Amino acid sequence: MLDFIYYPVSWILWFWHRVFGFIFGLGDFDKGASNGFAWALAVVFLVFTLRLVLYKPFVKQVRTTRQMQELQPQIKELQRKYKNDRQKMAVEMQKLQKEHGFNPLMGCLPVLAQVPVFIGLYHVLRSFNRTGSGIGQLHMTPAQNAMTPNYVFSADDVQSFLRARIFGAPISAAITSPKETLDAYADFGGIPHMWNMIAVAVPLMIIAGLATHFNARASVARQSAEAAANPQAALMNKLALWVFPLGVVVGGPFLPIAILLYWVSNNIWTYGQQHLVFGRIDKEEQQKKQEAIERKAQNAPKPGAKPSAKKKSGSAEVVADATETVADAATNGTPATASSSSSSSTKSGSASGKSGTSGKSANAGNRKRSGNRGRANQKRRR
């Protein structure tokens, strides 16, 4: 049913097993194919390959988390404002997300993408030994199991996997593996001893639990104070810091050694990737802040310099003079062209930068003469 997951996972594992089998066999794959470290490194690099594919979604996840923290005050305000109207709240939340290019799904996509990988790897590794009587096992005899291919792995690859040991422990076996499962290794390196598996599995369980804890601690340390104060976030932080690491340690005895290798390598990759991505994003934000400060400093006036206010070239004054001249001309009965010419000469004189006092005195003289004429005419009329 999940062959679309099992086959890609088995293809990647097959590729890396070929690479490391060739390396450990010093150029002879058949010689290094059954090496336990070749198989162990194939599992580790399977994890690294898949995490590399998910690198860009992980970066988007980090940026989405940062956006969620920045938008938290606005989200709380919308929740407060539309607490009695959930439909309106949903519409406003979608509008806010669209304005800021925010997609909540990107925050959980890398985690969701790793779930089918874990399931696929667990199933492929478990299918190298199908002699058990548990749920999902095929109840094969050791001979049938050794001659049955496992997805892209041939029967020779299955036998090579059964022979692989790390310090005497088969990487497909768990501490709690039943006796009939361990009997399948009798013709391929002998039945493994329980203490060998404990000696390999327990350190891996402890390392996996510690790596899970420190990854969670690094994530919690980068949360804002408002996000950490949220009751739901506080509960999830406690689960991530203590319950999940403890679950890895408690569930370790039931997991094959190869799955423990997967868990350790996955957490190591996550720890290094978090520091790399967060460091890069912090540098980008610091650079943006620095550029904003520099732009602000460039636009600010220099120390001691007064802001220069540009004056208009006496336009209001010229208009007032022209209006008064036209009024005098109308009163005296003289043509407005002469008056307007004098006002235009005044305008040109003020625009050309000549001394403003001469222009003003000329206008004043004109106003005086025109005013006298007006009074004389009035006397004659009377």
Side-chain angles (χ1 to χ4, degrees):
M1 185 174 65
L2 296 177
D3 287 350
F4 68 96
I5 296 175
Y6 301 149
Y7 274 100
V9 169
S10 57
W11 271 116
I12 298 172
L13 184 63
W14 178 90
F15 170 78
W16 285 116
H17 174 242
R18 293 282 165 177
V19 171
F20 289 108
F22 185 83
I23 293 172
F24 281 95
L26 300 177
D28 186 358
F29 173 76
D30 293 333
K31 185 178 178 181
S34 299
N35 190 297
F37 289 98
W39 279 103
L41 288 172
V43 173
V44 171
F45 275 79
L46 164 67
V47 176
F48 291 169
T49 302
L50 295 171
R51 291 304 304 272
L52 190 63
V53 171
L54 296 173
Y55 176 77
K56 286 188 176 181
F58 177 81
V59 174
K60 289 185 179 181
Q61 176 193 5
V62 173
R63 296 188 186 278
T64 299
T65 304
R66 290 284 182 97
Q67 284 182 326
M68 287 179 65
Q69 294 177 2
E70 293 173 359
L71 296 177
Q72 199 66 30
Q74 299 181 47
I75 293 174
K76 286 184 177 180
E77 179 62 23
L78 290 177
Q79 291 173 346
R80 184 194 64 78
K81 187 175 180 181
Y82 301 106
K83 61 181 179 180
N84 297 326
D85 190 350
R86 293 187 175 274
Q87 185 175 0
K88 182 66 175 176
M89 184 192 300
V91 172
E92 293 297 325
M93 289 284 285
Q94 290 178 358
K95 189 184 297 184
L96 179 66
Q97 293 169 7
K98 188 175 181 180
E99 288 176 357
H100 293 82
F102 171 69
N103 187 0
L105 184 62
M106 294 305 301
C108 55
L109 180 61
V111 177
L112 294 175
Q114 291 181 55
V115 173
V117 173
F118 178 84
I119 294 173
L121 179 61
Y122 179 81
H123 179 77
V124 170
L125 293 175
R126 195 182 183 206
S127 298
F128 279 106
N129 190 348
R130 293 147 289 191
T131 59
S133 58
I135 298 174
Q137 294 291 76
L138 300 179
H139 310 287
M140 292 182 178
T141 64
Q144 289 175 334
N145 179 67
M147 298 304 297
T148 304
N150 178 26
Y151 294 100
V152 302
F153 293 99
S154 64
D156 292 336
D157 294 329
V158 172
Q159 296 170 24
S160 170
F161 189 87
L162 294 173
R163 292 190 188 95
R165 298 284 194 277
I166 298 179
F167 303 113
I171 64 173
S172 64
I175 294 176
T176 56
S177 294
K179 184 178 181 301
E180 58 268 23
T181 300
L182 297 178
D183 289 341
Y185 300 100
D187 296 333
F188 305 96
I191 298 175
H193 199 281
M194 183 61 64
W195 286 109
N196 290 337
M197 291 189 292
I198 292 174
V200 174
V202 170
L204 289 175
M205 291 158 47
I206 295 173
I207 294 172
L210 290 174
T212 304
H213 171 77
F214 283 112
N215 277 333
R217 174 169 289 188
S219 298
V220 171
R222 293 185 177 95
Q223 289 181 352
S224 63
E226 295 180 353
N230 190 337
Q232 295 180 351
L235 177 61
M236 288 302 299
N237 290 340
K238 289 181 180 179
L239 291 175
L241 283 170
W242 306 109
V243 177
F244 295 162
L246 184 62
V248 174
V249 176
V250 173
F254 302 94
L255 298 175
I257 292 174
I259 295 295
L260 295 176
L261 286 169
Y262 165 87
W263 203 268
V264 170
S265 55
N266 186 61
N267 278 281
I268 290 174
W269 178 280
T270 300
Y271 190 80
Q273 185 173 261
Q274 277 186 345
H275 282 273
L276 175 66
V277 173
F278 278 105
R280 186 173 296 174
I281 292 177
D282 290 340
K283 286 182 180 179
E284 290 177 0
E285 292 182 353
Q286 189 66 27
Q287 186 176 359
K288 288 180 181 178
K289 290 180 181 178
Q290 188 65 29
E291 290 176 355
I293 293 172
E294 290 176 358
R295 285 196 301 269
K296 189 175 181 181
Q298 290 175 357
N299 296 332
K302 295 181 179 180
K306 294 182 179 180
S308 59
K310 294 182 179 180
K311 296 182 179 179
K312 295 182 180 180
S313 57
S315 58
E317 187 178 1
V318 171
V319 171
D321 290 343
T323 305
E324 188 174 355
T325 303
V326 171
D328 290 341
T331 305
N332 297 328
T334 58
T337 55
S339 301
S340 62
S341 64
S342 64
S343 65
S344 63
S345 64
T346 304
K347 186 188 296 184
S348 62
S350 62
S352 61
K354 293 182 180 180
S355 92
T357 56
S358 62
K360 288 181 180 179
S361 61
N363 288 330
N366 291 336
R367 285 198 298 272
K368 186 175 181 180
R369 286 195 296 271
S370 62
N372 291 334
R373 290 196 192 107
R375 283 194 292 270
N377 292 334
Q378 288 175 1
K379 288 178 181 179
R380 293 191 192 110
R381 288 173 186 170
R382 289 174 186 173

